[in-house]
Amino acid sequence: MFEDTTTLSARSIASKPSAARSSALPTLMTTWTIEQTFGGMTAMCLKRANVFHANGIPTAVVTFAPDEQFELTHKSLTESGRLDVEVPIINLHNYYDQHLPNQVGADFVATELPDLDWGSPSTVLRTSDQTLFYRAFSAGKGSALKRREYYRRDGTVYLLDCTLPSSTSKTKTKRILQLFRRGRSPVAEFTSASKLYRHWLSTLIGDTESNVIVDSKYAAGFLNSWEHPGAIKIFNFHSTHLMPQQDVIQGKLSPAHLPVIENRTKWDGLVFLTDSQRSAFNRRFNDIGNSYVMGNPTEGPSELPSRLDRDLSKVVYVGRLTAAKNIDEVIEIVHSVARSGQPISLDIIGEGSQRSSLEELVRTLGLEDKVRFLGQVESIGEHLRKANVLLLCSSFEGQSLALMEAQAHGCVPVAYDVDFGPRDVIDHSATGYLVPYQDQTAAVGTIIRLFSNDELASKISGNAFNKAKDYNEVAIFQRWQHSLEIIRKNRSKLSKLSQIRPILVGLGFIADGSIRVDIELVQKLLTIDSLELLVSPRSESESTNTISVSPHSSEVESASFIVPSEIYESAGSKGTLDLHLKMYSGTAAVSVRLGVQNQQSLSPYLTAYGNLSLK
């Protein structure tokens, strides 16, 4: 019944494509959990798994969370076609239900757990067959001391997870997790759940070279420090790394993304959905050569749907019903259009915590006959091909799947121009419309113009449909494969390049107004083939033309650059210019902000009259 983990590898647990590529490496799409109702991040994780499998790549989806509905969710995904029936989902708890953990050496000694009064447990059964999944104990109401026992279907314990009193402090606790084969003798022990998760992922992969693509921010938090000699590790940014409406250079960062940002050098690849987000990230944190742009794959009909099938007064919203999506503004814009006398109706597709309050808003505005809440629908495409406009008023976006799907079905997208996705997907007034953030008047005017001018709406619809071909599954799969090859090829050199810190050792004024920049590279890690100085405006609101300056002179560990005075206007700048040094070794390249080794007590500057001063 049970298979020993020593017989497994990433290749053995991944799918077996009928037309497998001979050199294809197993690729694990890794996330924390897959819930019955999920959003765009999980949808893209599953879709990528399907695309990789269909193109000959052994693939599996990997999850960690305890889920009593795991089997039913998996069945629902395959029956609905959201996951290929041949692509497995490997869950940590389902795995240890079916596989025995490795037996450790004879010198392993498990921690002896104290005998506490745990009281009566609560019990959770597996939904699919009503077998005991786990029993949860507490040392008392409100107590921080917890105990959870996880059971195989045969009734044996495979995992014990305890929060216990600390041996060094009466006010602190410690965590002990123990894995079991059979009987009550543990074979492995961990002092945190994160260590268990990393151990299990390494067990899954075995000695097989593999690709691990992490979609979940939560999972990335405990995988930051995970390393495997044969696996490359990639994190996929599905949303912005900034808080809403923040300056891209100095604004507040998303707390959920902070662990990845702070550990960015530990990832072999960071994947962004849009080029604008990747550029903003690298300008702020240095381009350490491990960032890539990979849009989400989107498929639509092979031919542009007929306008005769569209309700030309129909607006549709697609997405989660959450505060950040500002669906109340979508409803208010529709209300304003209706008050103008323009016929209009709105279909809201999706579920979320804001639904009841949004339904109340519809009643308050008297829009019951114009707004429908459709919840989750079987085919979003069917609704997009019959609507005239998709309207999004989000505070922020990564790369909006809804926008791309709208274009793929010839539905004209109208969206607030927020970081980072809309402006990368929509060519304003060509493949859709960008509206200034929270400018409802502009949004109302755009919709009225589209509804009252069908020749214009038809033209934009066709352009949007053609633009969507850039995001089809074949194009995105090829980009992934090309990037994975580069990541694996460059990982060793990038690791060394990212450790080099060039030092600014001199600045000189030249008679023609140019500036001489002298740098030193004291390192013995690897050979640097070439250098270039990158000069770019700091403000995102300005034109961000980056100017490349080649070395005026260079030696093994030093170089000088001449920055001409006219570079200020060439970069389109009205403010500060920042300097980055880009270093190349083979096909690997890293760009870092240029600075001094130690904070200087004196800094030179020129007065308004051109005089040299120090401060």
Side-chain angles (χ1 to χ4, degrees), residues 412-426:
V412 178
V414 177
Y416 281 168
D417 186 13
V418 295
D419 294 328
F420 285 96
R423 70 179 68 102
D424 285 72
V425 174
I426 297 174

Side-chain angles (χ1 to χ4, degrees), residues 35-46:
E35 299 175 340
Q36 289 280 355
T37 302
F38 52 78
M41 182 274 285
T42 300
M44 284 301 99
C45 175
L46 299 174

